[in-house]
Amino acid sequence: MRETLLEIRDLHVEVEDKHILKGLDLTIKRGEVHAIMGPNGSGKSTLCHSIMGNPRYKVTGGEIFFEGKDITNLKVNERAKKGIFLSFQSPEEIPGITVDNFIRTSVNIVTGQNMSMLQFAKEMKNTLELLDMDSEYRTRYLNVGFSGGEKKKTEILQMAFLKPKLIMLDEIDSGLDIDALKVVAEAVKKLKTEDMSILIVTHYNRILDYLEPDVISVLMDGRIVKSGDKDLAKILEEKGYDFVRNGV
Amino acid sequence: MKKDEIREIDFSIYDIRDDVKYEFQTGKGLSKEVVLEISEQKNEPSWMREFRLEALAIYQKMPMPTWGVDLSELDIDSIIAYIRPSAKMQRSWEEVPEEIRRTFERLGIPEAERKGLAGVGAQYDSEVIYHNIKESLTKQGVIFEDMDTAVKKYPDIIKEYFMTKNVLPTDHKFAALHAAIWSGGTFVYVPQGVKVEVPLQAYFRMNAPGSGQFEHTLIIADKGSEVHFIEGCSAPQYSVSNLHAGCVELFINEGARIIYSTIENWSKNTYNLNTKRAIVEKDGIIEWISGSFGSKKTMLYPASILKGEGAKAEYTSVTFAAKGQHLDTGSKMIHLAPNTSSKVLAKSISKDGGISSYRGLLKIGTNAEGAKASVQCEGLMLDDISRSDTMPVIDIENDNVDIGHEAKVGRISEEQIFYLMSRGLSEDDARAMIVRGFVEPIAKALPLEYAVEMNRLIKLELEGAIG
Amino acid sequence: MLKRIALEEIEKPSYKEYNSVIIKDATQEGITIEKVKQSILNNFSSLNRPVGIEKELVKEVEGFFNTGFYIKTSQNSDIKKPIILDYMANEQNDTLIDYNIIEAEANSKVTIVFDYNSGVKGFHNGITKLIAKEGSTVNVVKIQRLGDEFNDFDSCLVVVGKNATINWSNVVIGSKISAFDVAVYLEQGGGTFTSKSIFLGVDSQKYDMAYKVYHQAPKTTSSVDLKGALKGSAKATFIGNIDIKKGAKKAKAEENETVLLLDKTVRSIAIPALYCAEDDVQANHSASAGQIDEDKLYYVMSRGFSLEEARLLMVQAILNPVIDLIPYDPVREIIIKGHIGRRIIK
């Protein structure tokens, strides 16, 4: 039995005074690929942001444990240092700061040591190749003027350097065409080590074809209403969420 | 070389007051006697003495400006117009008196000279105490001289150009003041076709309390020549106000190019009322790069007069107004000839009740067929007790033009902060990074060491470590 | 640095009566309209604040107005048909000094058109003050198409209440000299002021146009959009102040000016200032000026238009979106076919 990496107990979250998560329970084991599916507005992104620690998402009840420690009140950057990574659905643009500069700063902070220039350059080259990205991205300002697909790839590029323990992919498939999706998914698969867990949030099945999930959970009305293996995705595709809602 | 590998500069150095002996100083205030004394101390030719006296008469007649910053607390009569350290001008650092040399060493000037400057001038209060230029440039005919020496050594050129056809004593009260009591500064002449590859630098340091600095910079870039001139300014903090009223006159002849960079870090009790103007002939280029951090009040509007066909001007600036500061800056772009172009990128940051104002003029004259101009102003507010004002004037007298102006004010978004923090940065680091990105266009335009210095100044301002 | 319209240039007429105004659709449920008089004005001391192009001009209206109306809606009323004030000047009525007050009660809706038109030579100087109370929506269109020898001045004050909405338009085509000044006070939360305005200056027309928007309360929104074209030796000055005061958190303000320059001899001055004393705001302004895009002209001409016709079309393209806002067909037609066409194609 693998050990628990993330455990969420009875989580309640409000966003702008709207109650979104209403007593959510979730456990993710180390190394596990866990997909969360659910209709639009069910609270999938809220879940990711709550795990990451976005101050706009107010936890009004429940706890989040990471590696056995309560992180419910931890600041976002402290969570990043613990190994939590969120690939944003719409990453922010930071004018004037190059991709290179940003990733180096971030890696040095998260790992607490200076990565050598040589190693950085080597890793950068490999990861860019893996993601089918041109090396000119290194000198572009972070996400400024990037297409949706380029932004998503840049998220994975950051992930590759930060080597988190928990990777959250929030709608990684939105804004990506089929070819790019395949590149991104294959890259994630390749970058994932045994110790890393992945939380995929999506309402499409395609990404799950590449990143075969060990567990699929269905999030509806702010709660996990059903969990199962990857066959659950197929059932959902055929029968829709009403199938779960009606509790058949 | 990577920017962050440059040695860090310790900025407490700016605030060290030096215990320097002064050989001579004029009394407080301004009178004919004071002007005559300055002229006599400098042993000037009579034409310059007459010029000073005429300027004094203009100064006395002219009213104080009623717009811009509040100057009601500026008491010019309590400012010491001229103050000479007991040091002769030297061409080797070893010969500069120790206390003064130590100051410039702390500021890293001799080291910078060794590392990569074509020439260095250092002014301490009213007098230039060090001036040196690489021999190879002298051989090519480049003149880099302190202004007092230039008046005696090149009287014909100085007489022709000194506040006669660019900035005039009649332009405004502080131009007249400057003309009457100017002291020190730099004269540069770059002969036809000569490209000075490495920058020339002048460093202006005000040390004595309650004094004024009135240096004059005159640069003539002859046809097809190029030069990059860097100006650094600092002063320690005293309880009495200092006044800086310098003047910069640039002449850019056909096909020539001047880059004029400034990092200004006057102490926070300095009134910085400076005049800078460039006249650009056919196909000439002026590039102003400016970082304004210090001073209590600043009024500075570098002007580019695009006189010849195809002349170009760029103005890239960052103004950081923190507690107790009102920095009123902007660019004047005057298009007088066909196919001239200008580009303004003015960024400002306001914090802790500081006021940054952009006051600009874009003028397209009737002969400026095919002129192109763009102005972009961005104000970043770091809290809700500061101010950011933008006051541009766009005056067009020709139809065949392409003019765009944009301005916006905003703050750092919470979403940006969260995104950066989710990659491990602390909130302060995230803010600092966003601000650094905001000023990147200016940092990019500066030589490496100055970009580092500017980023350090920003960091210190963000931490509230200055002032 | 740049003076507004110099009064010394203007010949001031002596006092005269004015009796040429028709109000269309004046009698509707929920609205009362009466001639303005001093006793009414006395009730609006809250509207005594800085207004107008120039003190002297304002004083003249205050002391010598010879026409003008007090328009008041009742609470929750929805005035279906636009109220049209047709100030039609002529030889006998060539001195028009109007003082108008619009008071929109809570949650009322109304559209009011001021159409200053006709005549040849004359003088117009007016004040319009608008107070829009909580939740009201007031649409105001000010059309200035007076004769070629008119001097025209219009000083407006707009006070926007809680969650009230003002949609404002100036259409400036006539007169020799024409100046307006609109001061907008967004003094309560949620108020919105939107202005979409146009001007067309030809020959030696001189225009001076100012919007001064004061954001004094949270979540107030303003948008000022001015587009115009200048031909011949016409001159236009645009002053656009956005002034975000302390306390106006989450204010949104934008301002935009676009000028088409149709001749070498025109003069265009823009001063789009932005003052900001709050950080949690969105504020921006932009201004642009230039000739008609040559690629567009080429495209239109490839469809058979002459150069002049193509230019007219391009001018219409920027003016029409505002003209379309005039809720009165006959006036709209006259402006499009008569005024604009006649001025562009000579």
Side-chain angles (χ1 to χ4, degrees):
Chain A
M1 189 67 193
R2 289 178 295 184
E3 62 172 315
T4 297
L5 178 71
L6 178 84
E7 191 183 356
I8 297 177
R9 290 184 202 149
D10 192 28
L11 190 68
H12 291 259
V13 174
E14 284 182 8
V15 187
E16 282 155 10
D17 298 328
K18 261 167 71 186
H19 199 173
I20 308 279
L21 297 185
K22 305 163 184 167
L24 180 139
D25 296 299
L26 178 71
T27 302
I28 295 176
K29 304 270 183 214
R30 208 182 277 281
E32 176 179 294
V33 177
H34 194 130
I36 305 267
M37 303 190 70
N40 277 332
S42 57
K44 300 191 298 295
S45 276
T46 301
L47 174 61
C48 292
H49 280 279
S50 303
I51 297 169
M52 194 71 242
N54 190 331
R56 274 184 50 222
Y57 295 73
K58 295 207 170 52
V59 176
T60 53
E63 290 105 32
I64 305 169
F65 292 89
F66 189 73
E67 295 186 307
K69 293 203 178 71
D70 187 349
I71 60 160
T72 318
N73 296 314
L74 217 54
K75 273 197 172 175
V76 46
N77 53 322
E78 296 303 325
R79 298 190 199 196
K81 287 185 199 169
K82 285 201 176 298
I84 300 177
F85 178 90
L86 171 61
S87 164
F88 282 56
Q89 199 177 330
S90 32
E92 291 292 322
E93 299 185 0
I94 313 291
I97 301 295
T98 61
V99 169
D100 242 34
N101 180 351
F102 178 67
I103 293 181
R104 279 195 60 187
T105 310
S106 171
V107 168
N108 291 349
I109 289 170
V110 169
T111 61
Q113 47 198 332
N114 281 339
M115 193 174 192
S116 82
M117 290 291 286
L118 202 70
Q119 200 198 337
F120 181 81
K122 209 173 110 189
E123 215 171 309
M124 183 57 85
K125 187 171 174 284
N126 292 339
T127 318
L128 285 171
E129 269 170 28
L130 185 66
L131 285 163
D132 194 21
M133 289 171 88
D134 197 282
S135 65
E136 60 108 17
Y137 282 101
R138 296 179 59 173
T139 53
R140 286 181 65 182
Y141 295 146
L142 185 59
N143 293 327
V144 179
F146 285 21
S147 70
E150 289 166 342
K151 283 183 180 170
K152 292 293 164 73
K153 284 184 173 183
T154 308
E155 294 290 279
I156 303 307
L157 182 64
Q158 293 175 40
M159 185 204 95
F161 276 89
L162 295 174
K163 300 181 180 58
K165 292 168 186 159
L166 174 65
I167 301 162
M168 293 187 281
L169 305 174
D170 186 4
E171 306 271 357
I172 188 80
D173 33 17
S174 71
L176 287 182
D177 59 38
I178 299 172
D179 293 337
L181 178 64
K182 192 175 171 197
V183 170
V184 166
E186 296 289 349
V188 172
K189 211 165 159 180
K190 204 155 176 197
L191 291 164
K192 179 187 177 308
T193 63
E194 289 246 311
D195 289 349
M196 291 181 185
S197 309
I198 303 182
L199 175 68
I200 308 167
V201 157
T202 180
H203 49 258
Y204 297 110
N205 280 346
R206 189 166 284 128
I207 183 90
L208 305 182
D209 293 341
Y210 298 107
L211 297 170
E212 292 161 28
D214 303 307
V215 186
I216 290 180
S217 294
V218 181
L219 175 58
M220 286 177 84
D221 305 324
R223 254 180 240 135
I224 300 291
V225 292
K226 193 172 178 65
S227 289
D229 60 14
K230 65 178 182 219
D231 293 339
L232 185 56
K234 293 210 173 63
I235 299 170
L236 285 171
E237 191 168 46
E238 283 161 22
K239 305 194 174 172
Y241 290 108
D242 285 341
F243 154 77
V244 185
R245 193 178 308 231
N246 299 333
V248 179
Chain B
M1 195 161 29
K2 274 274 169 287
K3 283 185 178 173
D4 44 10
E5 283 169 1
I6 288 291
R7 99 204 127 82
E8 296 213 322
I9 301 165
D10 175 9
F11 276 75
S12 58
I13 51 177
Y14 290 134
D15 258 356
I16 298 173
R17 305 161 191 184
D18 315 313
D19 187 16
V20 162
K21 290 187 188 65
Y22 291 99
E23 196 180 72
F24 175 81
Q25 63 178 54
T26 57
K28 286 183 178 178
L30 206 53
S31 63
K32 196 174 168 187
E33 288 67 38
V34 169
V35 170
L36 286 173
E37 243 173 42
I38 295 172
S39 190
E40 192 178 324
Q41 283 292 325
K42 290 179 177 293
N43 200 12
E44 275 175 355
S46 59
W47 59 267
M48 182 52 87
R49 188 174 61 233
E50 291 309 313
F51 174 81
R52 286 180 185 274
L53 289 173
E54 278 167 34
L56 179 70
I58 296 166
Y59 166 78
Q60 283 162 341
K61 269 186 236 144
M62 274 197 147
M64 286 286 267
T66 52
W67 49 278
V69 305
D70 176 12
L71 295 174
S72 60
E73 284 173 31
L74 171 64
D75 179 10
I76 296 177
D77 286 335
S78 73
I79 302 274
I80 303 164
Y82 177 74
I83 182 153
R84 187 174 71 193
S86 58
K88 295 255 176 327
M89 212 273 287
Q90 301 297 346
R91 296 193 189 273
S92 133
W93 283 108
E94 280 70 42
E95 287 162 44
V96 173
E98 207 190 329
E99 314 84 66
I100 296 177
R101 190 178 73 223
R102 269 209 307 265
T103 306
F104 286 102
E105 266 166 10
R106 278 198 301 267
L107 294 166
I109 309 301
E111 193 187 342
E113 183 183 5
R114 283 194 298 276
K115 267 190 175 166
L117 289 170
V120 166
Q123 177 159 350
Y124 200 82
D125 290 320
S126 299
E127 289 291 320
V128 175
I129 52 88
Y130 175 84
H131 226 273
N132 194 24
I133 180 174
K134 288 219 158 76
E135 215 182 301
S136 56
L137 288 176
T138 316
K139 278 187 186 148
Q140 292 179 75
V142 176
I143 301 172
F144 178 64
E145 196 61 80
D146 80 276
M147 189 54 78
D148 291 292
T149 307
V151 168
K152 290 165 201 157
K153 220 165 148 182
Y154 312 100
D156 294 345
I157 305 180
I158 305 300
K159 206 171 167 180
E160 187 187 339
Y161 287 94
F162 194 99
M163 297 189 85
T164 54
K165 46 176 89 174
N166 193 326
V167 178
L168 305 178
T170 46
D171 284 352
H172 57 81
K173 194 169 182 75
F174 292 95
L177 174 71
H178 172 89
I181 57 173
W182 74 270
S183 181
T186 306
F187 168 59
V188 179
Y189 171 77
V190 187
Q192 193 166 343
V194 173
K195 296 195 161 83
V196 182
E197 306 283 347
V198 276
L200 295 170
Q201 189 198 14
Y203 200 96
F204 302 109
R205 169 81 175 174
M206 263 195 278
N207 185 62
S211 68
Q213 197 168 62
F214 308 95
E215 85 290 346
H216 194 93
T217 306
L218 170 61
I219 305 178
I220 302 169
D222 216 330
K223 285 182 184 172
S225 69
E226 271 182 28
V227 64
H228 184 174
F229 192 84
I230 304 170
E231 184 186 73
C233 320
S234 72
Q237 182 94 22
Y238 288 106
S239 54
V240 287
S241 289
N242 284 19
L243 170 63
H244 174 245
C247 178
V248 175
E249 298 185 278
L250 308 181
F251 292 90
I252 296 159
N253 286 304
E254 192 176 327
R257 175 175 178 223
I258 294 180
I259 304 172
Y260 198 96
S261 306
T262 310
I263 293 290
E264 174 271 303
N265 184 32
W266 295 117
S267 64
K268 302 246 164 114
N269 58 352
T270 302
Y271 284 84
N272 182 33
L273 310 169
N274 216 358
T275 309
K276 296 182 175 181
R277 199 172 295 163
I279 296 177
V280 192
E281 304 290 347
K282 187 167 186 285
D283 297 325
I285 299 172
I286 174 66
E287 290 171 44
W288 302 99
I289 300 150
S290 171
S292 298
F293 294 91
S295 88
K296 177 181 186 175
K297 316 260 177 178
T298 285
M299 284 172 87
L300 172 61
Y301 319 99
S304 307
I305 298 172
L306 302 173
K307 199 174 151 201
E309 183 162 1
K312 281 190 176 66
E314 275 190 35
Y315 174 85
T316 311
S317 73
V318 60
T319 302
F320 196 138
K323 195 174 177 181
Q325 291 183 281
H326 183 179
L327 309 184
D328 199 288
T329 63
S331 110
K332 291 184 191 172
M333 294 292 185
I334 322 277
H335 293 248
L336 299 178
N339 302 315
T340 46
S341 62
S342 70
K343 195 174 162 191
V344 173
L345 176 63
K347 300 217 173 198
S348 75
I349 304 166
S350 318
K351 181 179 176 266
D352 282 345
I355 305 171
S356 20
S357 312
Y358 177 84
R359 192 185 299 273
L361 171 66
L362 172 59
K363 168 97 194 168
I364 311 284
T366 43
N367 295 325
E369 286 285 323
K372 283 191 173 66
S374 78
V375 179
Q376 201 184 332
C377 303
E378 286 179 41
L380 183 63
M381 305 260 294
L382 295 183
D383 55 47
D384 62 359
I385 55 170
S386 305
R387 280 194 73 89
S388 173
D389 297 336
T390 314
M391 294 154 282
V393 175
I394 305 154
D395 185 354
I396 304 166
E397 290 182 276
N398 195 308
D399 68 323
N400 183 10
V401 298
D402 183 356
I403 308 297
H405 169 96
E406 274 177 62
K408 60 180 176 190
V409 179
R411 63 170 184 171
I412 297 171
S413 80
E414 280 161 27
E415 286 74 19
Q416 277 183 315
I417 298 271
F418 173 68
Y419 182 65
L420 295 185
M421 286 178 77
S422 82
R423 303 298 185 248
L425 279 74
S426 70
E427 192 173 336
D428 285 348
D429 286 343
R431 262 176 220 289
M433 179 175 265
I434 292 165
V435 173
R436 215 162 53 234
F438 180 75
V439 301
E440 168 70 10
I442 296 96
K444 224 161 71 180
L446 285 167
L448 192 61
E449 292 228 17
Y450 288 84
V452 174
E453 176 169 342
M454 189 180 80
N455 280 338
R456 283 277 301 168
L457 280 173
I458 286 169
K459 191 160 177 275
L460 288 172
E461 288 287 2
L462 287 176
E463 290 163 358
I466 299 180
Chain C
M1 188 167 3
L2 287 153
K3 276 204 280 186
R4 300 199 59 180
I5 294 286
L7 283 177
E8 51 270 30
E9 288 176 25
I10 291 143
E11 203 183 314
K12 287 258 206 75
S14 48
Y15 182 79
K16 214 171 159 182
E17 279 192 8
Y18 182 86
N19 294 306
S20 178
V21 55
I22 298 163
I23 305 180
K24 204 174 156 292
D25 291 314
T27 45
Q28 293 183 66
E29 207 184 304
I31 191 159
T32 57
I33 303 178
E34 59 182 297
K35 272 200 166 170
V36 80
K37 47 181 186 268
Q38 196 56 48
S39 59
I40 295 171
L41 295 173
N42 292 345
N43 296 333
F44 290 94
S45 57
S46 71
L47 299 182
N48 291 338
R49 26 185 135 186
V51 60
I53 305 145
E54 224 275 345
K55 259 189 202 153
E56 291 296 311
L57 288 165
V58 173
K59 270 193 201 158
E60 184 185 56
V61 182
E62 285 169 349
F64 302 101
F65 61 88
N66 58 13
T67 182
F69 296 90
Y70 169 46
I71 302 169
K72 182 179 161 68
T73 62
S74 52
Q75 257 191 36
N76 304 318
S77 61
D78 186 353
I79 316 302
K80 294 273 189 270
K81 288 189 212 156
I83 310 292
I84 294 167
L85 288 84
D86 181 359
Y87 286 103
M88 189 168 69
N90 54 41
E91 222 171 306
Q92 289 75 46
N93 295 284
D94 63 352
T95 303
L96 162 53
I97 304 174
D98 60 328
Y99 200 141
N100 306 290
I101 299 265
I102 303 166
E103 188 179 19
E105 286 293 343
N107 302 313
S108 62
K109 271 187 195 166
V110 65
T111 299
I112 300 168
V113 179
F114 293 83
D115 185 10
Y116 302 100
N117 64 90
S118 307
V120 179
K121 187 174 169 21
F123 180 81
H124 167 230
N125 182 13
I127 293 179
T128 297
K129 292 184 177 181
L130 160 61
I131 177 160
K133 297 188 181 165
E134 185 172 347
S136 62
T137 302
V138 184
N139 306 315
V140 173
V141 181
K142 285 225 154 199
I143 303 164
Q144 189 277 104
R145 48 186 187 106
L146 290 161
D148 294 345
E149 294 295 313
F150 257 80
N151 290 323
D152 161 75
F153 304 94
D154 199 30
S155 303
C156 300
L157 175 75
V158 180
V159 178
V160 188
K162 193 175 171 194
N163 297 326
T165 302
I166 308 293
N167 296 305
W168 187 275
S169 290
N170 285 101
V171 175
V172 179
I173 324 173
S175 296
K176 183 172 66 185
I177 290 174
S178 179
F180 71 74
D181 188 296
V182 182
V184 181
Y185 293 84
L186 291 155
E187 61 180 21
Q188 286 182 63
T192 301
F193 175 83
T194 306
S195 166
K196 290 192 176 112
S197 296
I198 52 166
F199 66 88
L200 173 61
V202 301
D203 301 331
S204 58
Q205 284 184 304
K206 283 185 192 166
Y207 293 158
D208 182 317
M209 299 162 283
Y211 294 92
K212 298 163 183 167
V213 183
Y214 304 97
H215 285 261
Q216 298 167 311
K219 293 189 178 169
T220 46
T221 305
S222 73
S223 163
V224 169
D225 187 82
L226 180 66
K227 290 190 169 75
L230 295 172
K231 197 173 181 296
S233 55
K235 176 182 170 177
T237 301
F238 165 65
I239 294 171
N241 290 353
I242 298 172
D243 193 345
I244 300 177
K245 304 282 189 194
K246 189 97 197 73
K249 291 205 181 289
K250 302 210 183 297
K252 283 185 193 167
E254 65 179 317
E255 183 181 291
N256 200 315
E257 193 214 20
T258 309
V259 188
L260 276 185
L261 307 169
L262 302 177
D263 279 306
K264 190 178 159 50
T265 41
V266 299
R267 176 108 186 250
S268 162
I269 299 169
I271 312 173
L274 169 53
Y275 305 93
C276 189
E278 269 295 344
D279 66 329
D280 188 7
V281 299
Q282 283 177 33
N284 58 66
H285 67 220
S286 64
S288 63
Q291 292 172 311
I292 297 171
D293 187 337
E294 282 188 18
D295 293 338
K296 284 186 184 163
L297 276 183
Y298 166 71
Y299 176 75
V300 172
M301 287 169 76
S302 80
R303 301 296 184 258
F305 286 71
S306 71
L307 179 62
E308 284 293 283
E309 286 163 343
R311 275 159 67 106
L312 173 63
L313 191 81
M314 300 317 294
V315 172
Q316 284 173 336
I318 77 159
L319 303 183
N320 281 358
V322 172
I323 294 168
D324 287 343
L325 298 174
I326 299 172
Y328 187 48
D329 296 351
V331 174
R332 209 166 47 225
E333 288 293 300
I334 291 168
I335 290 174
I336 294 173
K337 297 220 170 94
H339 297 286
I340 294 176
R342 183 161 54 83
R343 282 174 155 81
I344 296 296
I345 300 179
K346 287 241 161 169

